[in-house]
């Protein structure tokens, strides 16, 4: 790599040497995520991982991919890039665990206007932290410089994960029955959804992101950048301890799009709004944006990051397992016979 230099490519706006410097900087962050099964170091053509399938009769790979979305614009405006990587990992692994799968590894992709090794390192440090929280390995990725296509300060961060589950242990929402208990896991805030509306409400391009709103008690920018919570370990613990029928990751589309994905036809989730822990940022958004309650629940997570459907007989065991993992689960309602998938009381 030391011999690789293209004056013509550099004149076109692509700095190959900056890319090499970025790889050197991120190596220590990647090493934090190493788990059994990793067979390769970064810098190769592919990331290698040997999964442990001992004891599994029919191993099934489960994949998920997502990006940070326009939340990354807040990071760019604040010049703080070490948290959105956590969001990127979270949006992928939180989907995979809804099938009952344990994430094995993660890979990221960064498109950037101008390759700034320090910025790339900051972004990947967040990705690595997300992987540590999820218990998976960061085994590779790609950084692509896009001069003339993106502004120099712009970037887009995306990634994907692969998880593993024995087919016999995959969650099957068809086992859901009336009377099943709904357990809500609190979100850390907005997570990484609805930020096009968030940016519009706060006029983010011109807003004072350092302002401490009375409702928030912290600078607005810090609240908006609070990373998406990663639920892999507590959800897997609940699955091990109880009869979990379904898990809904409350992401874009809020309650009305995500909860139905884990409930069979003829049944609905009856939820008690008074039981849900709604962080102040949602009330502030609704007031400033004059947003209807329906739109709030159809856009944001409203304080619920995950919703678990558990048999009534094992609900206490699930609650205990979740609490052992540091969660503060809320009994949010139950499954009922209903033509409506989501019933908010």
């Amino acid at each position: 790599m030391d011999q690789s230099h293209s004056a013509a490519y550099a004149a076109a706006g692509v700095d190959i040497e900056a890319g090499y410097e970025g790889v050197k900087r991120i190596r220590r962050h990647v090493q934090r995520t190493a788990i059994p099964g990793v067979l390769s170091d970064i810098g190769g053509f592919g990331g290698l991982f040997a999964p442990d399938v001992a004891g599994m009769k029919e191993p099934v790979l489960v994949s998920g991919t997502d990006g940070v979305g326009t939340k990354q614009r807040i990071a760019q405006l604040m010049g703080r890039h070490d948290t959105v990587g956590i969001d990127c990992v979270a949006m992928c692994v939180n989907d995979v665990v809804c099938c009952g799968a344990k994430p094995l590894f993660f890979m990221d992709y960064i498109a950037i206007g101008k390759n700034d090794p320090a910025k790339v390192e900051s972004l990947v440090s967040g990705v690595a932290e997300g992987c540590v929280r999820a218990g998976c390995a960061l085994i590779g990725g790609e950084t692509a410089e896009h001069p003339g296509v993106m502004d120099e300060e712009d970037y887009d961060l995306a990634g994907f994960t692969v998880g593993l589950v024995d087919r016999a242990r995959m969650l099957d929402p068809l086992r859901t029955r009336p009377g099943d208990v709904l357990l809500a896991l609190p979100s850390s805030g907005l997570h990484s959804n609805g930020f096009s509306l968030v940016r519009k409400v706060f006029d983010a391009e011109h807003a004072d992101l350092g302002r401490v709103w009375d409702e928030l008690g912290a600078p607005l920018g810090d609240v908006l950048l609070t990373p998406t919570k990663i639920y892999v370990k507590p959800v897997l613990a609940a699955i091990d301890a109880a009869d979990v029928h379904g898990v809904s990751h409350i992401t874009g589309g809020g309650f009305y799009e995500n909860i139905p994905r884990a409930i069979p036809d003829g049944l609905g989730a009856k939820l008690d709004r008074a039981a849900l822990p709604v962080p102040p940022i949602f009330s502030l958004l609704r007031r400033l944006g004059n947003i209807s309650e329906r739109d709030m629940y159809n856009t944001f997570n409203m304080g619920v990051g995950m919703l678990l459907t558990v048999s009534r007989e094992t609900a206490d065991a699930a609650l205990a397992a979740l609490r052992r993992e540091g969660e503060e689960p809320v009994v949010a309602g139950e499954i009922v016979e209903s033509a409506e998938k989501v019933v908010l009381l």
Side-chain angles (χ1 to χ4, degrees):
M1 287 187 179
D2 291 339
Q3 294 179 317
S4 178
H5 174 74
S6 170
Y9 214 9
V14 177
D15 189 343
I16 297 175
E17 293 174 343
Y20 297 153
E21 174 63 22
V23 172
K24 291 178 182 178
R25 285 172 173 259
I26 67 176
R27 191 175 300 277
R28 64 187 179 92
H29 300 292
V30 174
Q31 290 171 345
R32 290 183 58 215
T33 75
I35 61 173
V38 175
L39 300 180
S40 59
D41 196 0
I42 60 171
F45 287 103
L48 306 179
F49 192 93
D52 180 4
V53 296
M56 291 188 178
K57 293 183 178 180
E58 194 173 356
V60 176
L61 296 176
V62 182
S63 60
T65 185
D66 210 335
V68 180
T70 62
K71 181 176 184 174
Q72 61 199 11
R73 181 57 183 160
I74 305 297
Q76 293 165 2
L77 290 169
M78 293 185 67
R80 180 181 175 187
H81 313 288
D82 61 341
T83 63
V84 289
I86 301 174
D87 291 290
C88 188
V89 175
M91 298 306 293
C92 297
V93 298
N94 285 345
D95 278 354
V96 164
V97 79
C98 289
C99 298
K102 181 187 185 303
L104 299 176
F105 59 82
F106 189 86
M107 299 187 79
D108 61 16
Y109 177 82
I110 303 169
I112 193 166
K114 182 176 177 58
N115 198 334
D116 178 344
K119 184 183 290 185
V120 170
E121 180 185 6
S122 188
L123 288 167
V124 175
S125 73
V127 174
E129 176 59 26
C131 288
V132 169
R133 296 183 187 185
C136 66
L138 177 58
I139 63 171
E142 176 70 14
T143 300
E145 196 169 13
H146 289 175
V149 176
M150 304 174 71
D151 290 340
E152 288 191 358
E153 298 301 314
D154 284 348
Y155 58 80
D156 190 27
L157 175 61
F160 83 94
T161 190
V162 173
L164 181 69
V165 62
D166 197 347
R167 187 164 187 166
R169 288 176 54 83
M170 288 174 59
L171 297 186
D172 183 4
L174 292 177
R175 297 177 56 231
T176 301
R177 295 291 180 267
D180 284 354
V181 177
L182 297 169
L183 303 181
L185 302 187
S187 70
S188 57
L190 289 164
H191 284 183
S192 190
N193 303 107
F195 268 83
S196 293
L197 179 54
V198 170
R199 292 184 300 109
K200 179 181 178 181
V201 169
F202 286 110
D203 188 16
E205 297 296 320
H206 307 99
D208 178 5
L209 295 174
R211 176 179 174 180
V212 179
W213 291 77
D214 291 340
E215 294 96 326
L216 304 180
L220 174 62
D222 290 350
V223 173
L224 298 183
L225 279 186
T226 301
T228 304
K229 201 169 188 179
I230 292 176
Y231 298 96
V232 169
K233 294 176 182 179
V235 169
L236 291 177
I239 291 171
D240 285 341
D243 185 14
V244 178
H245 294 160
V247 179
S248 297
H249 181 200
I250 312 301
T251 58
F255 283 41
Y256 291 105
E257 284 192 22
N258 293 291
I259 293 176
R261 297 164 70 179
I263 299 177
D265 291 341
L267 300 180
K270 184 173 73 173
L271 295 160
D272 179 7
R273 274 177 292 194
L276 303 180
V278 183
I281 184 63
F282 296 104
S283 301
L284 181 60
L285 275 167
R286 185 180 180 190
R287 176 171 64 83
L288 294 180
N290 192 28
I291 305 169
S292 71
E293 183 176 65
R294 168 80 188 200
D295 281 354
M296 291 295 295
Y297 279 93
N298 207 163
T299 305
F300 303 111
N301 67 62
M302 298 302 288
V304 178
M306 284 279 195
L307 191 69
L308 280 65
T309 304
V310 186
S311 71
R312 186 167 295 276
E313 296 76 15
T314 64
D316 286 342
L319 286 166
L322 292 166
R323 288 169 181 149
R324 284 194 296 270
E325 291 294 327
E327 284 294 325
E328 297 179 358
V330 173
V331 177
E334 65 178 341
I335 295 293
V336 297
E337 293 183 359
S338 173
E340 294 183 74
K341 287 293 188 181
V342 180
V343 181
L344 290 173
L345 299 179

